[in-house]
Amino acid sequence: MAQALEMVAKLAREVEKGLPLGPGAVRVEEDGDVIVLRPAPPSRHHFYLDGLLFHVAITPKPDGTTLFQIWAEVGYMPYTIESPEKRAKLQAILRSASWINGARFVVDEQQKILVLGQHEHPGSFTVNDLMWETVQFLQHARPYLRVLGQYL
């Protein structure tokens, strides 16, 4: 009876840490110990470069890989009625940037220009991996960001 109460108390403490608990997250060992498997939380980082705020997310996945994502809001695409020349030049720059490896420029529904990068890394992510992926992304995107900055 005492062992059952101890197990219920342990489960209650785990629930206090927060939900959700996914399928297969709670396991009871043969000796009665309750094991709760929680996925590692994603890591979020931010930095400024050339006046832009970059966001970095490192998310461990259940299959053992790590998802690296980086993005920044570059500016807004002007409407044709506001500045047809500026819009045409920005569209030409964005079209020329469509072939870049590791970085992608998109314009969302609100005409916001974003630069995005994503890479799935085998295994866990180290600080060296973080720096490598960030520098690789910036090397590909930065020349286009500078040209875009002249028109925004």
Side-chain angles (χ1 to χ4, degrees), residues 76 78 85-86 89-90 93 146-152:
Y76 286 89
E85 301 84 22
K86 188 189 250 187
K89 288 179 182 180
L90 286 170
I93 295 166
R146 288 189 173 171
V147 173
L148 283 169
Q150 296 174 7
Y151 296 101
L152 294 174

Side-chain angles (χ1 to χ4, degrees), residues 52-72:
L52 295 177
L53 175 62
F54 286 85
H55 308 275
V56 177
I58 301 166
T59 308
K61 296 173 69 178
D63 63 1
T65 62
T66 304
L67 183 63
F68 169 83
Q69 297 172 303
I70 184 169
W71 68 97

Side-chain angles (χ1 to χ4, degrees), residues 2 16 30 66 114 132 150:
E16 286 176 355
E30 289 181 15
T66 304
L114 303 160
W132 171 259
Q150 296 174 7

Side-chain angles (χ1 to χ4, degrees), residues 9-38:
K10 204 176 219 183
L11 279 172
R13 284 191 299 274
E14 287 297 329
V15 170
E16 286 176 355
K17 291 180 184 176
L19 293 175
L21 291 177
V26 179
R27 187 176 72 225
V28 179
E29 298 288 316
E30 289 181 15
D31 62 356
D33 279 346
V34 176
I35 306 294
V36 178
L37 306 172
R38 292 185 184 272

Side-chain angles (χ1 to χ4, degrees), residues 68-135:
F68 169 83
Q69 297 172 303
I70 184 169
W71 68 97
E73 294 178 6
V74 179
Y76 286 89
M77 180 74 81
Y79 290 99
T80 305
I81 198 157
E82 294 173 319
S83 179
E85 301 84 22
K86 188 189 250 187
R87 183 175 177 90
K89 288 179 182 180
L90 286 170
Q91 287 174 330
I93 295 166
L94 292 173
R95 274 192 304 275
S96 70
S98 64
W99 61 271
I100 300 176
N101 288 333
R104 184 171 171 222
F105 287 88
V106 297
V107 179
D108 71 5
E109 305 85 41
Q110 289 83 32
Q111 299 299 300
K112 187 185 318 176
I113 303 169
L114 303 160
V115 60
L116 314 163
Q118 180 171 304
H119 181 259
E120 195 164 314
H121 183 79
S124 60
F125 217 68
T126 65
V127 174
N128 288 342
D129 296 328
L130 170 65
M131 295 307 296
W132 171 259
E133 294 293 343
T134 302
V135 168

